[in-house]
Amino acid sequence: MTTRRPRAAIVGALAATFAAGLFALPLLGLVLRAPWREFGRQLLSPAVGDAMRLSLVSSTFAVVVAFVLGLPLAAWLASGSSAVRSVVRILVMLPIVLPPIVGGIALLLAFGRNGVVGSWLRDWFDVSLPFTTPAVCIAAAYMGVPFFVLCAEAGLRNFDRRFVQAAASLGAGPARRFFFVVVPMIAPSLTAGALLCWARALGEFCATQMFAGNLAGRTRTMPLACSVAMENEPDLAVLLGLVLAAVSAGVLLLLRHRVLVRP
Amino acid sequence: MNLVADFALRRGSFELAVDLEVDASGTVAIVGPNGAGKSSLLAAIAGLLRIDRGSLRLGDRTLDGGPGGTFVPPEQRGVGMVFQDHLLFPHLRVVDNVAFGLRARGVARRQARDEARRWLDRVGLAEHEGRLPAQLSGGQAQRVALARALAARPSVLLLDEPLSSIDARTKVELRGELRRHLDAFAGPRLVVTHDAVDAFALAQRIVVLEEGRVVQQGSVAEICGRPRSRYVGDLVGTNVFRGVASNGVLRLANGGSLVVPAEPAGEVFATVHPRAVALYRVRPDGTPRNVFAVRIVAIVPAGDRMRVQVDGDVPLVAEVTPQAVADLALAAGGEAWVALKATEIALDPA
C-alpha cells in the first residue's frame, strides 16, 4: 500500500488539475478577454438594458408562476402516490431533461398562431403569443418551474405530517396550517427550488428563440443578446457572458450558504 | 361535559374497539403494552383518525360517527393534545408556539402573545419566551408543549406519553407539575402512559387497553388490588393468572394448576401478591398446599426488597428481603422450591 500511495496521489492531482482546467479555463478566457475599460459604458447601453430588463421580467415571472401554480402542484404530487400522479410528475419534470429546442418546438406547436391552444386564443380573443414578451415569459416558466416543483415536492415529502396534526389540534384550519406551518418549515426547499428555477429561466435560450424569436426590446433576453453580439460585437458578448456567469455564481453561493447548509 | 367514546376503528389488521365514558372529575390514565391502541384512541378523539363504527361524543355534540355520520375536523373539536415528542414548531419562538392556538382562533397578535406569556409563566418558563424550540431541554419542551395546548383553551386535554422522553431526574419534578396542571383543568383529560408510576401519580382512574380492547378500568386502588391481566399484574407488581377453578383447583391456560379457595368457581382471575410467595432451598414440609420446584430466572431489586422471578409449572414473582436472597444463596439459573398458601390466592370471576 505504501508504495502505491504516491502514485495514487499523482493520479488524483492530475485528475483534479484536469477537472479544474476543464471548468476554470473557459471562465478564465472570459475574464481575460473582457473589455474591462468599456465595461461601464457597454453595460449602460440601451440594448443591454432592454435585454437585462426582459431577462429579469421573464425569470421573475417564472418564479411567481412557480409559487402560484407550482406549489399547489407539488403539494398534490406529494400528497400520495397514484398512476395519475406519476404521469403528471413525468410531464412536469420532462423539461429538466428535454433538449431545450424540443421544448421550443413544443411550445410553438401548442401556443403558435396555428397551434392547439394558439388558434383558439387567436379566434376567440384575437391574441397571438409567439414573438411577444409574454411568450418569453412562458418559455422561461416552462423551463424553470419544473426545478421548483422538484425541490418543493421533495421538501413536502420529507415534511413530518404530524406537525400539521399538532397545528390542527390547536385549532388551525387547512390554510393556516399550510401557510404558517408547512411553508415556513419547508422554506429551505422552496428557496432552493426558487433559485434554481430563476437561474434556469434566466439562462433560457433555445426554447425562447424558437417560440418567442429574437426581437430587440421585445423578446431579446440576455442570452439571446449575447448570441447576437457574438456575431458582430464580440466584446459585448463577452461582457454579457460575464454578467450571466457572475449571476450564476451568485445563485450557487446563495444555495450553498443560505439554503443547503443549515446554520 | 362528558366524553363518550363508544366506537371501533380498524387500521390494517388491528382493531380498536372501546366503550368509555370520561367525565371531568379526574384524570384518566390509559395504560397498556405497545401496540394496544392507546395512541389510536387519542388520535380518534383528537380527530386525527376516523372511526369506522359507533360514535364519539363530547357533551351533546357528536364529534365523529353516530347516525348522521358526522365528522368534526380536529381544528373544530376543542381537543387539545400534547404529543409524545412535543412537535413544537421549530421555526417559531417559544412564545409564538404557545400563542399559535390563540392566533388560530383570531386573537390579535399582541393579545395572544400576552396570554402566551402568562401561560409560560405558569409553567415556569417566562424567561425562555424568545428561544427557539431547538434551544430547549426535553423537560422545557414538554412544559412548552403543555402550555401551548392549554393556551388554546381546549375543552378536552389529551397527553400522549408526556414523561417518556424525560430524563429520570427531571421526571419527578415534572410529574408533580403535570399533576397540578391536570387537576386544575376543567374538562375531561386523558393521559396515555406505559409507566405504572406515572399512571398512579397523575390519574385518579385507570383504563387498561390490551390488543385494542379495554380489559379493565377502575380507580387506582381497584386496579392495584385486583389486576386482571398479566400485563396489569406486571405493571402493579402482582402475580395474575387466568384459569378455570373447580373444587378448589385452578387449572391454568399453560397446563399448570394451583390449589385455591373453593369459591368462586369457573373462569377466574387469580391474584397472588409477590410477598405471599415463599422460597425454600429444599422441599418444605408444612401447611402450604401449593409446593413446587422452580428455576430462578432473574433477581432484581425493587426498593428495599428483591423481586425473584421463577419459572416452572406456574411462573411467579416472589418478593423477599436481600437478606433472604443471601441466606438461601439464591441466584439466577439456580433451583428453588416455592410454597404458596391457598388462602393467599385471591379469586375474581373473569
Side-chain angles (χ1 to χ4, degrees):
Chain A
M1 282 306 283
T2 41
T3 52
R4 289 193 57 177
R5 212 172 264 159
R7 198 192 292 173
I10 291 167
V11 171
L14 274 175
T17 312
F18 180 74
L22 180 64
F23 297 111
L25 282 179
L27 216 58
L28 193 67
L30 212 56
V31 174
L32 292 178
R33 275 297 313 279
W36 292 104
R37 228 168 276 167
E38 301 283 294
F39 200 86
R41 193 182 57 78
Q42 293 265 38
L43 219 54
L44 292 175
S45 75
V48 173
D50 277 349
M52 277 187 171
R53 185 183 51 78
L54 264 172
S55 275
L56 277 180
V57 165
S58 61
S59 55
T60 306
F61 174 81
V63 173
V64 171
V65 170
F67 276 98
V68 174
L69 300 178
L71 191 52
L73 177 64
W76 176 71
L77 286 174
S79 67
S81 53
S82 64
V84 184
R85 279 189 182 82
S86 300
V87 171
V88 171
R89 187 180 296 110
I90 288 174
L91 286 176
V92 174
M93 299 301 157
L94 205 56
I96 294 176
V97 290
L98 201 68
I101 184 72
V102 182
I105 295 170
L107 284 174
L108 197 60
L109 290 181
F111 297 105
R113 288 187 69 79
N114 300 312
V116 186
V117 183
S119 58
W120 178 78
L121 283 176
R122 190 191 57 196
D123 293 347
W124 287 84
F125 300 102
D126 196 24
V127 168
S128 173
L129 279 176
F131 313 111
T132 61
T133 305
V136 177
C137 292
I138 290 174
Y142 180 79
M143 286 302 181
V145 172
F147 287 91
F148 178 85
V149 176
L150 187 77
C151 292
E153 193 197 344
L156 285 164
R157 283 207 179 265
N158 288 328
F159 179 74
D160 186 348
R161 302 288 309 163
R162 293 178 318 139
F163 282 102
V164 171
Q165 299 187 334
S169 80
L170 292 167
R176 178 169 281 270
R177 299 200 290 260
F178 189 72
F179 289 108
F180 288 84
V181 177
V182 180
V183 167
M185 283 182 71
I186 63 163
S189 300
L190 298 183
T191 317
L195 276 171
L196 286 173
C197 167
W198 185 74
R200 180 65 189 83
L202 191 73
E204 193 0 73
F205 172 76
C206 218
T208 311
Q209 193 170 36
M210 195 72 208
F211 178 46
N214 191 348
L215 307 172
R218 281 179 65 192
T219 73
R220 185 171 295 164
T221 57
M222 292 272 284
L224 290 169
C226 193
S227 145
V228 170
M230 205 57 204
E231 282 167 23
N232 39 34
E233 279 181 278
D235 278 0
L236 180 61
V238 171
L239 205 94
L240 292 172
L242 263 182
V243 171
L244 286 172
V247 169
S248 306
V251 166
L252 274 183
L253 215 66
L254 277 178
L255 277 175
R256 217 170 138 57
H257 289 279
R258 297 281 309 276
V259 188
L260 297 184
V261 180
R262 296 271 200 112
Chain B
M1 194 157 50
N2 288 7
L3 180 73
V4 182
D6 178 7
F7 64 78
L9 67 85
R10 294 196 74 84
R11 294 187 87 185
S13 59
F14 173 79
E15 191 194 49
L16 171 72
V18 293
D19 181 3
L20 282 175
E21 179 156 2
V22 180
D23 61 22
S25 66
T27 302
V28 174
I30 312 284
V31 300
N34 284 335
K38 308 186 294 289
S39 294
S40 297
L41 175 62
L42 288 202
I45 295 171
L48 308 175
L49 214 56
R50 293 204 62 163
I51 65 171
D52 295 318
R53 278 187 285 117
S55 69
L56 175 70
R57 296 192 308 279
L58 179 60
D60 49 11
R61 186 169 168 229
T62 298
L63 297 180
D64 196 354
T70 330
F71 177 75
V72 179
E75 64 267 25
Q76 290 165 22
R77 289 192 177 193
V79 174
M81 182 137 170
V82 177
F83 294 83
Q84 186 174 356
D85 41 1
H86 323 313
L87 298 180
L88 298 178
F89 304 124
H91 59 290
L92 294 180
R93 296 186 303 142
V94 162
V95 65
D96 289 324
N97 260 284
V98 178
F100 189 92
L102 294 163
R103 296 284 293 136
R105 292 162 56 124
V107 177
R109 186 188 300 270
R110 255 184 82 175
Q111 207 184 328
R113 280 202 178 139
D114 286 345
E115 194 163 338
R117 287 192 186 100
R118 281 197 289 279
W119 276 106
L120 282 171
D121 197 33
R122 256 168 256 176
V123 298
L125 288 175
E127 73 277 22
H128 292 86
E129 58 158 286
R131 294 204 183 175
L132 287 172
Q135 298 166 306
L136 299 175
S137 71
Q140 290 168 341
Q142 180 61 47
R143 289 182 177 98
V144 174
L146 180 69
R148 182 176 74 167
L150 289 172
R153 299 179 207 143
S155 36
V156 176
L157 186 62
L158 309 175
L159 294 95
D160 192 0
E161 300 276 7
L163 296 166
S164 68
S165 58
I166 309 297
D167 63 271
R169 266 183 50 205
T170 320
K171 202 169 180 167
V172 178
E173 194 183 320
L174 201 54
R175 196 151 50 207
E177 287 177 30
L178 203 53
R179 166 80 187 222
R180 283 205 318 276
H181 288 292
L182 283 168
D183 287 349
F185 187 75
R189 53 257 194 217
L190 287 90
V191 180
V192 157
T193 177
H194 62 257
D195 184 333
V197 181
D198 291 345
F200 299 153
L202 296 176
Q204 284 78 38
R205 207 177 125 212
I206 308 246
V207 171
V208 184
L209 264 188
E210 280 184 58
E211 291 172 356
R213 300 288 185 280
V214 175
V215 295
Q216 191 175 4
Q217 53 177 310
S219 68
V220 170
E222 282 164 7
I223 300 280
C224 285
R226 303 220 183 292
R228 286 292 174 81
S229 75
R230 195 65 198 265
Y231 173 79
V232 187
D234 282 346
L235 190 77
V236 299
T238 301
N239 294 296
V240 187
F241 306 100
R242 193 182 176 137
V244 181
S246 66
N247 300 324
V249 176
L250 174 69
R251 303 216 170 277
L252 305 175
N254 67 357
S257 65
L258 285 172
V259 178
V260 295
E263 290 293 325
E267 281 271 337
V268 293
F269 283 105
T271 46
V272 181
H273 198 278
R275 273 196 289 270
V277 181
L279 296 175
Y280 298 87
R281 286 295 291 172
V282 294
R283 188 186 169 96
D285 186 12
T287 54
R289 304 292 306 280
N290 296 295
V291 175
F292 40 87
V294 292
R295 199 173 49 78
I296 297 171
V297 178
I299 303 177
V300 290
D304 58 346
R305 303 220 149 205
M306 303 295 273
R307 282 170 71 88
V308 182
Q309 191 190 346
V310 301
D311 205 358
D313 286 349
V314 183
L316 277 168
V317 173
E319 212 173 84
V320 296
T321 60
Q323 190 60 44
V325 171
D327 288 349
L328 294 175
L330 299 176
E335 307 275 333
W337 287 83
V338 159
L340 184 57
K341 291 164 87 172
T343 50
E344 293 281 8
I345 302 174
L347 296 184
D348 285 295

